[in-house]
Structure formats: structure tokens, C-alpha cells
């Protein structure tokens, strides 16, 4: 309030001072020029008229102080316009002070060189238009004898014409003038000593009036600016307040600049007025000069006073704006901090989970600590903001009533949050203690059951053995005092604050298991006591003596947990207890007659061990993924870390991390929770994998991106960004080790499933476990195959069009092409080519493997595409004489033969079986399509042809031709069985083209046959339909007369070559004798058998399979002649 009062006081003083400066309207005063509201004439306005010097104010005074206006000799006086004369008179009479002007002016009219007529006219004109009071008019009449005499006579006779309120004195000489006005008040031209320079006087008057105007304008500017400042409302946000303060400060600086300019101008004028005194101390100063100096000094004093008042006013205004800005900053920070603290309080309030296991509670405590560390920034900021508010209050801020409550609220929020964190940590500490107790009890029970399962039966048959076993049991039971739950009610009472329904049931299950374990020990203890008491002779045990057992108890469940980058030796060590326990239990069962219940209990223990390891490693895996995403990936978007990111790493987050975030969300939100639901029934965990098998496909995308990620890491591993993130996370290993975690994890599952399956053979979920294991292995194979598939280079098409990748591997390949010069070329190749084959559903690709230089994924091989074979035109020969690892893939009726040698017979068998499955599925599809078409034709309904599975240009073209033929409503071929099909176009029969593996650049397309139809013994044996069209030579077995223009006349025994298959059982053939072409019934032809013992689909060296291509209608033919 005191500050506001001081501000208002400064404002009142400032406005009062400005009002004084403006004054009130009235008679013009030379020392108060700036006070006039009605602007008078200025020297600058009539400067040209004043320069004529027909009248001037020299500064001289009469004996009573009357101002003297001198009219010097001016021949052109009569020619001066009245307006100009009036302006000059008005201006000259306005210069003296009101006091001097009130006495009256003395006019000195010098007409010594003029004529009487001029004198008379001048006096009359002056008397008529003089604007002020006159005291005396002194006229120096002409000095010539004639004119002086004339003036004396004329003045006497015309005295009435000169009647004025003041006397007019006609003086004949200058000495007479000195009798009226002292010489010191007259200028030199009138015989006086007064120093007067008209040009200097005019310059001074102009400068003084200009300065007075500047002072007035400055006062008006300050008044306007002050009004603006006083009327400005304080803004409500930081940005607007800062803007107002900036604008006002800029305007204030401009106003101060104008003030300084005015002061500089005034001082300069004052120095100019004092210049004659500085040059000569004896120089006398007239009254007008003194008045001018006083006027300038008064104006300067007024400016200084105005500046002081304005500075005081501005200081108060600036302080208020700055305090307003501080308040807006405080309020903005308060809103932000309060929002953050409220959000944190809501999170801590929703953080009610007390954990369902020891590891879970430890994880929750770690999350709480991490949350507290992250929240400490907001809490520290809130406390700092509260201290800032207290400082504002101490500095007497004008808004104390608004700041004080906010400071108290901030302090309350911080204290409440700290209390909630402390309370939450206390609950989790309680939960940690309870789960530690439960884990200890569970571990004691597991170790006890393991001890019972590992005691050898043969040793217990003797008295010493029984006593030794009894001592082990008694010694173990003694440890129960430290490890068991003693009183259940005491547990309930002590941990009442955290016991929810799930935790309560868990405590009860652990206690029941503890009682069951104790009961088992008591039964074993009673049995051993009976054995130790009997004195029987030793009995040779039936079971073979088991190997020595480790006496140390089974490791605790926590010891099974390991990181994903553990070595295979570590994994083997962890699985060691399972294998040893199972082996020992197996030997024990051979040596003693234990109950089925005990065996199941032992297997259940081992399953639980596997399940614990699966859960522990899964939680650790999820935690590591989150650590990488928050500690590295999220930091790449942090503006504070941008300066550490190298240019090569910018905008490359998706390449470096792939779809790791998608993997994390799947495991954290879905898979981990489902695994935790199986903790009580580990044998059912296979269902979790089966239900989420589709989601596991995300690992294929991650692995495919891994080479790019590895390459980027190798380029940018020295980036300071990674080092800073690793330092913040306190990681011992660099980021690349954590980027490998998903690859390691997906391979880890199959090992854990194998272990679980071993101990769940007779359980309910055994089949699911086996299926889950097979599915995971399938995913691993698909991931591995995809890694090879993306390394193929040089293939022009889309690999996804070839269907699913079934198999891939490296082989030795020989070629045997039956084509002209190519055949000679291939026969010269004795050394096999090394090729990497990719078997798809629709094609098999031949590639050349090329090893790349580098390290890590950069060293991975690439595959240069060489050749591809359409599976619709492929056949195989399973066995090749002389080598059990070889088989044949042939193409286009053995025009191209590829002899494939596998690394092992097993690999060969796997490939042959897979190719057989593809060919069989194609054959089945062909049969079904033929039967379907026959059914459609029987109903006279056109059926669209199925789309070709071949990616070749020829096959696509022919299938489209068949589709057009079957679906065109104007075509008669689909409806009238007696009409003949059109002859095929030239070059549209079976393609004899083959592609060499060594020349992919020349023939980059598919090596395929157009509308190729193969036959097989399997189809004949099945008895399904007639044989299909196949390329080759045929013999006419039945003569046929020509029935149409396109029908070819044949005789029995003629040899023909089939060009194309038509509808209604007709084939288009070429007579090899006459070279004529035409349509013939397929039933008229028979296969021409050659010397070779192998046919198109039958090989002498082994069983052969070939693919079928869909034909419009089955025809009764035999196998074609092999080429």
C-alpha cells in the first residue's frame, strides 16, 4: 500500500508540473513563450519581412524604461504591403515584457535622407497601424535646406493631421535626439553606443522561439506518454506483461532522448547569447539581451524539473511492471508445478499394488525409487518456487495477498507427496518382508522334497543307511525353526495392512504346503526309524547303484534367474539340477518302491523350477527393454541431448531400435501377465505360447532390421550420446548388447519349453507344450530363412509373389541342358557350381553365395540371383545312381536338368519330401480344377479360369487367353462342343527356352513352359480322370477323315507333334512328314516310345514327380516321348 501511495504521489507531482508548463491564454510574454495556447507570430514565420529592416527593436530604453523601436531610413517604406507592415509591428511590440510594454513605446523615425512627403506618409501610416501603446514619437526630419524648411512650414500648417494621443517631436539633428534618449540606448547610426546587429538579433530570436516550441512539444509528448502509462492495465500473463514492459521501456528511452536533445539545444542557445560577454568583458548588454538569456535559462530549468519528475514517475511505473512480471512468472510456475504435483499425487494414489512375489515387490520398490527420483525435480522446483514467493513478500510486493496463499499451498503439496511416498515405501517394505518369509518357506519345502527324492533306496535298506538318512532328515527339520511360518495368526496380525485377498490365499497355500512337507518328513522319519530298529541281513538291491549324489540342497528359486546374455554353459548349469534330480529320482524309483504321488510331487517341483526361471527371466527381459526404450530411444527426442547426437544418427531411431517398442508392449501388457497366470499350473504354460503364436511374428521384423541396426551402431558407436546415456543408466554393457536381447530371448523359449516338456509327459498340457515347442522352432526357422531371403540381390520381381519360403540351403549343382550349343557348353563343365537354393511355393531360386567383408552382421553373406524355375513346370528324380546325396530337378520335359548334391542324405531327403509336397498339392489343385470345369461345362455355364500361380510372362499370357475364351459371352467354344477352336498363333505353343545358370543377364525372365502339362504314374494309379496334355511326339493309331477347314487329315501310323490342347478333346498338331497343322481328336494319338527307359514322369534311376498345369479339359493320351 505504501508503494501504491508513493506511486500516486509521484504521478500527482508530475501532472501538476505539466499543467504549470502549459499555463493559461493571455498577453504574450517573451519569457513564457511555451505557455501560450494561441500560438503568436514567430520570427521564423516573418523572417523575410524582418530581414528588410524597415523597423527593428534594438533593445534600447527611454529614461522611464520605455522600449525604443527604430524606423531607419528606408526609401521603399511606402512600398511595403500593409500586411507585412502589420505583422512586423505586431511581432516587435510582442517581444518586450508586459511591464515594459505597458509604459509605452518610443518610436524613432529616421528620415534625414528622405523628403517631407515621405516623412508625412510614414508618420501617418505608423500612427494609423501601430498595435501598442505609444509614449513618444521622435522624427529626424530631412537634413537638406530646402526639405528642412519645407518640413518646418508644412508641419506648422498641417499640425492637425498629426494629432495623436502622444506628442510627435520633429527633430532637426541627432544631438537633439540625444536630449530625449540617452546615447547608450541608441545604435551607432543614431549617434549612440548601443551594440546591435540585426542579423544576429534575428538568429537569436529564431533560435529562442524554436527552443520554446521544442520545450512545449516535449511537455505535450510527456503528457501523452504519462497518460498512456497511467491508463495501462496490468496484463494477466507473462508474455503480455513482458511485451508491455518492453514497449514502455522503449518509449521511455525515446522520450528521454527527446528531453536530452531539448536540453542540448537550450544550452547551445544560452552559450550563443553569452558569447559577446566571453569575448569582451567591457561589452554592455541591453535589456532585450538580458531578457533573452533569462528566457532560455527559465526554459532549461523547466526542462530539468520536468525530467526529474518524469524519472520519478517512470521509476514507480517500471517497478510496478517488473513486480507484475515477477507475479506472472510466479503464477505460471505455480500452475505448472501444481499440475505436476497433482498428477504425481494421483499416480502415487493409484499405486496400490503390493506385489504377488518377492521379485515383483523388489521390482515395485525399484519403480517407486525411480518414480521418486524423477519426481524430485518437480518437488525441488515447487520448494524453490515457494522460497521465491517468500522473497517477493519480503521485498514488499504489491500482490502479497495473492502470493502468500500460493506459497502455503505449494508447501502443503510437497509435504503431502513426501508423506505418501514414505507411506507407500513402508507398505512395500512390509510386503517385501512377507514375501521374503514366504519365499524362504517355499525354498525350505522345495529343498526338503528334493532331499526326500534324492535319498537312495538301496542305502536305506541297511541299518547304517537308514540311520544316516534319518539323521539327514532330523538335521533338516531343525532348520525349520528359522525358515518356516510359525504362527499363521501372527502373520495375519503383523501384515494386516497389506493382506489383500490374493495375498491371503497365497499365504494359506504356502502354509498348507509347509504342513504337507512336514507330514511327508514325519512319514519318512517313521519309516526310517522302523528300518533302523530292524536287525536284518543286508539285501542285494535290484536296482543298479546310482551315481554319487550332491549333498548340497537345490538352489533357491532366485538363483535360477539369469540375464538374457548368459552363456550356454550357464544355462547348462541351471538345467543341471533338473537333469540330476530326474536321473536320481529315476534311479531311486528303480531301487525302491515309491508311490506314484511322490513321483508326481517330484516332477511338480521340477516344473515349478522351470516356471520360476521362465517368469524371472521374462520379468528381467521386460525390464531391460523398458530401460533401453526410456534410457536411449526416448532420449534421442530430448532437446537437451540433441547436441550430443551426431549427424549420421539423426532421424535414425527407427533403424537403430527397429520395432523394439512393439515387442516391449506385447510382453509387458500381454505375455508376462499370461505367464504369471500359469504360476500354479506350469504344465499349462504351452497354451500361452499357442494363443500368442501370431504375435511372436513381430520378432521376424526385428531380426530382418538387425543388419541395418548393427551397421548403424558400428558407424556411430563412438557418439557421445550413447556414452552419456550409458553413464546415466549405470550400464556396464554398451547399447549393442541390449539390442541383441530380443534375438536371444526368442531362442531361449524353445530351451525352456523343452525342459518343461520333459517333466510334463503325462500331464494335461503335454500336447500343448509339444505343439508350442514345434511352433517356436517354426518361428525360429522362419526368422532364420527370412534373414537369408532379405540378402538376395539382383532379383527384379517381388519375392512375396513366389509364396511362402519353405526351405533354403547351399548345394553343389551340375547342369545338363539338351539344347544345341548350350549342351556342348554344359558338357564341358565337370566342376559343380556352388549354389544357394530357395524353395518357395511357386518357384525355386538359384543364387550364388557371396561372403562379405566386415564384422558382425556386416559379415553376413549376400546372395546374387542367377536363375529361377516355375514349380508348375518342375519335376524331380529322387535318386541318382552312384550318390545317395544327389537328386534331380528337371524342367520343361527334361530340356533343362539340374543335378543337386546335398551336404548330407538327410538334407536331401528333407528337400525331396518338401518338393514332393509342393508338386502333390499342385497336382491335387489341377485335378480339382479339371473336375470343377467338367461339372460347369455339363451345366453349360462358363467358369472363369483360376489365376495362374506362375510368375512367368508366358504363363500369365496363356492363362489370360484361357480366361477370355471361357468368359466371353460371344464365344461359341464354351457352349457348342462340335465347333473347332482356332489354330494357335505362331510361337504360342510350348516354349523350348531354357536359361543357363551362368547367364542370368541374357535371360532375366522365368524359365517356364506355356500351358505345360506333365503326366505321372501317380495319377494313373489314382484313376482320376484322363491323362493331361504333355509336349512330345505322338503316333496316329486311328485314321480320321477331314471334317472341317481346320481339321487335319491323318492316316494310321503318321507321326505328329502336339502344339496345343483345345476344347472337346481336340489337339492342335503338326504332321512331321508334311509339316501341315490342324486339329485332331486326342483319342486318335498314342505315345511314341523311344529307346530310353525313363519317361516324362518316370525315371529309371528313381521315383520321379512332376507338376501339373491346369488344362481346359482332360484328354485321353499316353505319356509323351522323352527328349
Amino acid at each position: 500500500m505504501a508503494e501504491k501511495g508513493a506511486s500516486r504521489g509521484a504521478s500527482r507531482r508530475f501532472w501538476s508540473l505539466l499543467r504549470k508548463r502549459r499555463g493559461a491564454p493571455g498577453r504574450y510574454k517573451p519569457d513564457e513563450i511555451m505557455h501560450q495556447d494561441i500560438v503568436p507570430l514567430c520570427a521564423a514565420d516573418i523572417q523575410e519581412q524582418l530581414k528588410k529592416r524597415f523597423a527593428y527593436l534594438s533593445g534600447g530604453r527611454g529614461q522611464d524604461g520605455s522600449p525604443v523601436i527604430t524606423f531607419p531610413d528606408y526609401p521603399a517604406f511606402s512600398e511595403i504591403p500593409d500586411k507585412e507592415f502589420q505583422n512586423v509591428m505586431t511581432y516587435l511590440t510582442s517581444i518586450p515584457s508586459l511591464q515594459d510594454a505597458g509604459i509605452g513605446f518610443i518610436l524613432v523615425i529616421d528620415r534625414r535622407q528622405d523628403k517631407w512627403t515621405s516623412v508625412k506618409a510614414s508618420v501617418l501610416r505608423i500612427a494609423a497601424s501601430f498595435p501598442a501603446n505609444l509614449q513618444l514619437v521622435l522624427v529626424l526630419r530631412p537634413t537638406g535646406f530646402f526639405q528642412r524648411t519645407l518640413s518646418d512650414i508644412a508641419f506648422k500648417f498641417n499640425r492637425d493631421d498629426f494629432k495623436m494621443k502622444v506628442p510627435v517631436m520633429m527633430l532637426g539633428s541627432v544631438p537633439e535626439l540625444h536630449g530625449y534618449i540617452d546615447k547608450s540606448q541608441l545604435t551607432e547610426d543614431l549617434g549612440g553606443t548601443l551594440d546591435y546587429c540585426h542579423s544576429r538579433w534575428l538568429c537569436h530570436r529564431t533560435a529562442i522561439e524554436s527552443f520554446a516550441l521544442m520545450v512545449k512539444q516535449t511537455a505535450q509528448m510527456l503528457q501523452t506518454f504519462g497518460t498512456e502509462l497511467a491508463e495501462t492495465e496490468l496484463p494477466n500473463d507473462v508474455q503480455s506483461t513482458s511485451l508491455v514492459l518492453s514497449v514502455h521501456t522503449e518509449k521511455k528511452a525515446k522520450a528521454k532522448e527527446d528531453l536530452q536533445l531539448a536540453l542540448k539545444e537550450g544550452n547551445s542557445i544560452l552559450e550563443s547569447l553569452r558569447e559577446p560577454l566571453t569575448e569582451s568583458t567591457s561589452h554592455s548588454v541591453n535589456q532585450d539581451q538580458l531578457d533573452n538569456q533569462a528566457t532560455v535559462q527559465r526554459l532549461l530549468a523547466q526542462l530539468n524539473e520536468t525530467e526529474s519528475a518524469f524519472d520519478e514517475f517512470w521509476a514507480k511505473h517500471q517497478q510496478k511492471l517488473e513486480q507484475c512480471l515477477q507475479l506472472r512468472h510466479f503464477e505460471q510456475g505455480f500452475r505448472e508445478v501444481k499440475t505436476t504435483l497433482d498428477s504425481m499425487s494421483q499416480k502415487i494414489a493409484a499405486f496400490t499394488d503390493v506385489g504377488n512375489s518377492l521379485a515383483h515387490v523388489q521390482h515395485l520398490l525399484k519403480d517407486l525409487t525411480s518414480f521418486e527420483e524423477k519426481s524430485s525435480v518437480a518437488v525441488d522446483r515447487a520448494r524453490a518456487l515457494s522460497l521465491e514467493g517468500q522473497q517477493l513478500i519480503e521485498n514488499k510486493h504489491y500482490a502479497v495477498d495473492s502470493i502468500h496463499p500460493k506459497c502455503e499451498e505449494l508447501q502443503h503439496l510437497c509435504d503431502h507427496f513426501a508423506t505418501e511416498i514414505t507411506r507407500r515405501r513402508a507398505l512395500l517394505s512390509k510386503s517385501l518382508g512377507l514375501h521374503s518369509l514366504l519365499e524362504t518357506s517355499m525354498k525350505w519345502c522345495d529343498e526338503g522334497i528334493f532331499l526326500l527324492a534324492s535319498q537312495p533306496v538301496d542305502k536305506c535298506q541297511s541299518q547304517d543307511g537308514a540311520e544316516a538318512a534319518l539323521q539327514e532328515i532330523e538335521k533338516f527339520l531343525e532348520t525349520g525353526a528359522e525358515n518356516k511360518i510359525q504362527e499363521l495368526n501372527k502373520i495375519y496380525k503383523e501384515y494386516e495392512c497389506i493382506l489383500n485377498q490374493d495375498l491371503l490365499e497365497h499365504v494359506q497355500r504356502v502354509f498348507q504346503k509347509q504342513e504337507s512337507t512336514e507330514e511327508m518328513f514325519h512319514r519318512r522319519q517313521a519309516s526310517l526309524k522302523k528300518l533302523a530298529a530292524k536287525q536284518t541281513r543286508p539285501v542285494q538291491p535290484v536296482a543298479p547303484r546310482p551315481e554319487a549324489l550332491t549333498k548340497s540342497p537345490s538352489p533357491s528359486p532366485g538363483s535360477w534367474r539369469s540375464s538374457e546374455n548368459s552363456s550356454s554353459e550357464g544355462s547348462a548349469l541351471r538345467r543341471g539340477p533338473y537333469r540330476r534330480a530326474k536321473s536320481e529320482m529315476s534311479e531311486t524309483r528303480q531301487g525302491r518302491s515309491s508311490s506314484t504321488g511322490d513321483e508326481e510331487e517330484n516332477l511338480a517341483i521340477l516344473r515349478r523350477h522351470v516356471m520360476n526361471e521362465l517368469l524371472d527371466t521374462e520379468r528381467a527381459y521386460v525390464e531391460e527393454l523398458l530401460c533401453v526404450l526410456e534410457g536411449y530411444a526416448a532420449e534421442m527426442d530430448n532437446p537437451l541431448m540433441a547436441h550430443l547426437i551426431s549427424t549420421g544418427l539423426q532421424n535414425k531411431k527407427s533403424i537403430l531400435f527397429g520395432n523394439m517398442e512393439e515387442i516391449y508392449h506385447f510382453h509387458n501388457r500381454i505375455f508376462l501377465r499370461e505367464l504369471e497366470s500359469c504360476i500354479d499350473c506350469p504344465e499349462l504354460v504351452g497354451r500361452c505360447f499357442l494363443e500368442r503364436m501370431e504375435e511372436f511374428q513381430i520378432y521376424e521384423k526385428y531380426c530382418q532390421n538387425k543388419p541395418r541396426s548393427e551397421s548403424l551402431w558400428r558407424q556411430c558407436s563412438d557418439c557421445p550420446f550413447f556414452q552419456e546415456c550409458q553413464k546415466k543408466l549405470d550400464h556396464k554393457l554398451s547399447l549393442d548388447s541390449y539390442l541383441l536381447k530380443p534375438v536371444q530371448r526368442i531362442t531361449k523359449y524353445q530351451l525352456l519349453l523343452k525342459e518343461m516338456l520333459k517333466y510334463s509327459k503325462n500331464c494335461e498340457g503335454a500336447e500343448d507344450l509339444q505343439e508350442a515347442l514345434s511352433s517356436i522352432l517354426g518361428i525360429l526357422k522362419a526368422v532364420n530363412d527370412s534373414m537369408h531371403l532379405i540378402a538376395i540381390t539382383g532379383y527384379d520381381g517381388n519375392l512375396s509373389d513366389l509364396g511362402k519360403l519353405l526351405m533354403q540351403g547351399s548345394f553343389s549343382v551340375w547342369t545338363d541342358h539338351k539344347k544345341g550349343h548350350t549342351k556342348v557348353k554344359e558338357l564341358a563343365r565337370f566342376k559343380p557350381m556352388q549354389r544357394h537354393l530357395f524353395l518357395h511355393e511357386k518357384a525355386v531360386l538359384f543364387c550364388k553365395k557371396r561372403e562379405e567383408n566386415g564384422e558382425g552382421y556386416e559379415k553376413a553373406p549376400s546372395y546374387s540371383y542367377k536363375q529361377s524355375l516355375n514349380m508348375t513346370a518342375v519335376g524331380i528324380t529322387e535318386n541318382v545312381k552312384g550318390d545317395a546325396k544327389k537328386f534331380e530337378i528337371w524342367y520343361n520335359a527334361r530340356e533343362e536338368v539340374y543335378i543337386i548334391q546335398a551336404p548330407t542324405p538327410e538334407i536331401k531327403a528333407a528337400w525331396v519330401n518338401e518338393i514332393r509336397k509342393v508338386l502333390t498339392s499342385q497336382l491335387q489343385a489341377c485335378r480339382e480344377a479339371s473336375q470343377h470345369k467338367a461339372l460347369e461345362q455339363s451345366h453349360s455355364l462358363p467358369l472363369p479360369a483360376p489365376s495362374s500361380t506362375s510368375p512367368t510372362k508366358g504363363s500369365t499370357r496363356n492363362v489370360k487367353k484361357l480366361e477370355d475364351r471361357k468368359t466371353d459371352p460371344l464365344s461359341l467354344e464354351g457352349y457348342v462342343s462340335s465347333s473347332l477352336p482356332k489354330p494357335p498363333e505362331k510361337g504360342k505353343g510350348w516354349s523350348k527356352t531354357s536359361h543357363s545358370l551362368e547367364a542370368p543377364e541374357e535371360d532375366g525372365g522365368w524359365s517356364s513352359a506355356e500351358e505345360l502339362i506333365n503326366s505321372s504314374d501317380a495319377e494313373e494309379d489314382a484313376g482320376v480322370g484322363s491323362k493331361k496334355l504333355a509336349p512330345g511326339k505322338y503316333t496316329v493309331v486311328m485314321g480320321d477323315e477331314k471334317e472341317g477347314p481346320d481339321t487335319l487329315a491323318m492316316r494310321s501310323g503318321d507321326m505328329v507333334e502336339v502344339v496345343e490342347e483345345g476344347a472337346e478333346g481336340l489337339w492342335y498338331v503338326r504332321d512331321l512328314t508334311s509339316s501341315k497343322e490342324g486339329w485332331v481328336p486326342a483319342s486318335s494319338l498314342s505315345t511314341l516310345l523311344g529307346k530310353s527307359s525313363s519317361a516324362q514322369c518316370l525315371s529309371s534311376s528313381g521315383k520321379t514327380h512332376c507338376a501339373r498345369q491346369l488344362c481346359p479339359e482332360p484328354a485321353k493320351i499316353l505319356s509323351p516321348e522323352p527328349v
Side-chain angles (χ1 to χ4, degrees), residues 194-196 200 276-286 289:
L194 181 65
D195 182 22
Y196 175 77
R200 183 176 61 188
L277 290 176
T278 58
E279 293 178 356
S280 175
T281 56
S282 61
H283 179 77
S284 61
V285 180
N286 60 43
Q289 291 174 340

Side-chain angles (χ1 to χ4, degrees), residues 360-518:
H360 190 196
V361 176
Q362 292 172 342
H363 183 74
L364 290 177
L365 276 170
K366 186 176 181 181
D367 286 346
L368 181 64
T369 303
S370 176
F371 176 71
E372 184 179 13
E373 291 176 354
K374 292 179 180 178
S375 304
S376 63
V377 177
V379 174
D380 293 344
R381 184 184 175 192
R383 297 190 186 279
L385 191 62
S386 179
L387 292 176
E388 181 181 337
Q390 294 295 337
Q391 188 66 36
L392 291 178
I393 294 174
E394 292 177 3
N395 292 337
K396 298 180 180 180
H397 195 281
Y398 71 85
V400 173
D401 296 339
S402 174
I403 297 173
H404 186 67
K406 291 182 173 62
C407 292
E408 291 183 346
E409 186 175 359
L410 287 175
Q411 192 64 37
H412 172 72
L413 289 173
C414 292
D415 295 341
H416 175 72
F417 179 76
T419 303
E420 286 297 312
I421 288 287
T422 304
R423 186 185 66 83
R424 180 62 191 162
R425 180 173 284 104
L427 290 177
L428 289 178
S429 299
K430 277 277 189 183
S431 179
L432 183 66
L434 177 59
H435 281 288
S436 298
L437 182 60
L438 296 177
E439 289 282 342
T440 302
S441 178
M442 290 281 289
K443 180 180 177 182
W444 182 80
C445 294
D446 292 344
E447 291 176 352
I449 296 172
F450 187 81
L451 175 62
L452 295 178
S454 62
Q455 285 185 339
V457 177
D458 55 343
K459 290 184 179 180
C460 294
Q461 300 299 320
S462 64
Q463 183 178 8
D464 294 339
E467 290 178 352
L470 187 60
Q471 290 177 0
E472 286 183 355
I473 290 177
E474 292 175 349
K475 184 178 180 181
F476 180 79
L477 288 175
E478 292 175 359
T479 63
E482 302 175 356
N483 300 318
K484 292 191 305 179
I485 300 175
Q486 301 298 334
E487 298 181 19
L488 199 58
N489 291 331
K490 185 178 179 181
I491 296 295
Y492 291 161
K493 185 176 181 181
E494 183 178 355
Y495 298 101
E496 181 180 3
C497 59
I498 62 170
L499 279 178
N500 53 34
Q501 186 62 32
D502 293 338
L503 193 52
L504 183 62
E505 293 176 357
H506 183 44
V507 171
Q508 293 172 351
R509 286 196 301 269
V510 173
F511 189 73
Q512 290 173 2
K513 181 175 181 180
Q514 180 179 296
E515 290 181 335
S516 301
T517 304
E518 289 178 337

Side-chain angles (χ1 to χ4, degrees), residues 736-749:
D736 58 327
S737 300
Y738 291 91
L739 294 177
L740 198 60
K741 295 290 183 182
V743 181
Q744 295 171 334
R745 188 59 183 170
I746 191 63
T747 58
K748 175 76 173 177
Y749 287 128

Side-chain angles (χ1 to χ4, degrees), residues 303-339:
L303 276 180
N304 289 325
E305 187 179 355
T306 302
E307 182 180 19
S308 299
F310 176 75
D311 288 343
E312 182 181 357
F313 173 75
W314 168 254
K316 299 300 181 181
H317 180 76
Q318 184 182 27
Q319 181 184 14
K320 189 173 183 180
L321 281 180
E322 289 176 348
Q323 287 185 348
C324 178
L325 183 60
Q326 292 172 350
L327 178 62
R328 300 303 176 237
H329 275 296
F330 177 78
E331 291 175 343
Q332 179 178 337
F334 173 78
R335 289 192 296 269
E336 294 174 354
V337 169
K338 187 176 183 303
T339 302

Side-chain angles (χ1 to χ4, degrees), residues 12-212:
R12 283 196 298 269
R13 287 193 298 273
F14 177 63
W15 295 123
S16 176
L17 183 63
L18 288 181
R19 282 194 294 271
K20 289 180 181 179
R21 298 297 172 266
R22 289 185 57 83
R27 177 74 168 84
Y28 173 69
K29 301 178 182 179
D31 58 343
E32 294 182 356
I33 297 176
M34 62 169 288
H35 301 167
Q36 300 300 317
D37 287 332
I38 300 175
V39 179
L41 286 174
C42 297
D45 298 334
I46 57 173
Q47 187 173 8
E48 295 299 326
Q49 295 144 11
L50 291 173
K51 285 182 178 180
K52 293 180 180 181
R53 199 172 174 266
F54 61 83
Y56 61 87
L57 189 66
S58 63
R61 294 289 188 270
Q63 296 177 357
D64 55 358
S66 302
V68 177
I69 296 178
T70 303
F71 290 86
D73 185 28
Y74 190 79
F77 184 79
S78 60
E79 298 176 2
I80 299 174
D82 292 340
K83 181 64 176 176
E84 291 184 9
F85 181 81
Q86 185 67 35
N87 287 341
V88 171
M89 291 298 102
T90 302
Y91 177 73
L92 292 178
T93 57
S94 67
I95 294 176
S97 64
L98 292 176
Q99 181 180 359
D100 293 343
I103 300 174
F105 288 88
I106 297 177
L107 302 184
V108 178
I109 304 173
D110 185 8
R111 291 295 182 265
R112 287 174 294 175
Q113 303 299 326
D114 208 342
K115 298 178 181 180
W116 167 246
T117 54
S118 296
V119 172
K120 180 180 178 181
S122 298
V123 172
L124 291 176
R125 185 176 186 182
I126 293 171
S129 61
F130 193 77
N133 296 331
L134 284 174
Q135 186 183 32
L136 180 65
V137 177
L138 301 176
V139 180
L140 287 175
R141 60 187 178 184
T143 56
F145 175 79
F146 177 76
Q147 293 295 332
R148 183 172 67 246
T149 304
L150 181 62
S151 62
D152 290 339
I153 298 172
F155 183 73
K156 291 178 181 180
F157 287 100
N158 296 290
R159 185 178 296 273
D160 293 337
D161 294 338
F162 296 100
K163 284 185 178 180
M164 301 173 69
K165 295 181 181 180
V166 295
V168 177
M169 305 301 296
M170 302 296 290
L171 304 178
S173 64
V174 172
E176 292 181 23
L177 177 63
H178 294 165
Y180 293 93
I181 302 174
D182 190 81
K183 293 174 58 177
S184 62
Q185 302 300 318
L186 293 174
T187 58
E188 294 180 356
D189 56 343
L190 294 177
T193 61
L194 181 65
D195 182 22
Y196 175 77
C197 177
H198 187 70
S199 60
R200 183 176 61 188
W201 174 87
L202 182 60
C203 180
H204 286 171
R205 291 306 305 173
T206 304
I208 292 172
E209 292 171 357
S210 176
F211 175 58

Side-chain angles (χ1 to χ4, degrees), residues 603-774:
L603 290 175
I605 294 171
L606 297 174
R607 289 196 295 271
R608 186 160 53 249
H609 279 306
V610 178
M611 192 66 197
N612 287 339
E613 181 179 1
L614 176 58
L615 279 174
D616 290 342
T617 54
E618 185 72 13
R619 292 187 184 112
Y621 174 55
V622 170
E623 185 176 341
E624 288 169 342
L625 290 182
L626 179 61
C627 190
V628 171
L629 291 173
E630 289 185 346
Y632 286 96
E635 289 297 311
M636 291 187 71
D637 299 327
N638 186 356
L640 300 178
M641 301 285 284
H643 66 285
L644 299 177
I645 300 178
S646 61
T647 305
L649 191 61
Q650 292 177 356
N651 302 321
K652 299 290 182 63
K653 184 170 74 171
S654 60
I655 296 178
L656 186 62
F657 298 97
N659 61 331
M660 180 181 283
E661 184 175 358
E662 183 182 6
I663 294 174
Y664 165 73
H665 289 312
F666 163 64
H667 284 271
N668 182 52
R669 299 174 180 174
I670 301 175
F671 194 62
L672 177 58
R673 298 181 182 180
E674 294 182 355
L675 289 180
E676 290 174 343
S677 66
C678 297
I679 190 170
D680 295 327
C681 301
E683 63 276 5
L684 302 181
V685 75
R687 296 177 185 174
C688 296
F689 285 89
L690 291 177
E691 291 174 356
R692 299 298 173 186
M693 201 54 63
E694 184 175 350
E695 282 88 340
F696 275 105
Q697 302 296 330
I698 58 179
Y699 279 91
E700 184 172 345
K701 180 180 178 181
Y702 185 84
C703 293
Q704 288 178 352
N705 180 69
K706 198 65 177 71
R708 299 173 64 202
S709 174
E710 180 77 10
S711 177
L712 180 61
W713 166 256
R714 292 186 61 81
Q715 296 174 17
C716 306
S717 59
D718 296 333
C719 180
F721 170 77
F722 295 123
Q723 300 171 6
E724 181 66 20
C725 291
Q726 183 177 351
K727 181 179 179 182
K728 286 184 179 180
L729 295 172
D730 196 22
H731 281 179
K732 296 181 180 179
L733 300 176
S734 55
L735 174 62
D736 58 327
S737 300
Y738 291 91
L739 294 177
L740 198 60
K741 295 290 183 182
V743 181
Q744 295 171 334
R745 188 59 183 170
I746 191 63
T747 58
K748 175 76 173 177
Y749 287 128
Q750 54 102 5
L751 301 176
L752 295 171
L753 286 173
K754 285 179 182 178
E755 291 292 335
M756 185 66 76
L757 186 60
K758 273 201 259 181
Y759 309 130
S760 309
K761 292 295 184 182
N762 300 322
C763 295
E764 176 186 353
E767 293 182 359
D768 290 340
L769 285 171
Q770 182 61 56
E771 187 177 352
L773 176 60
S774 301

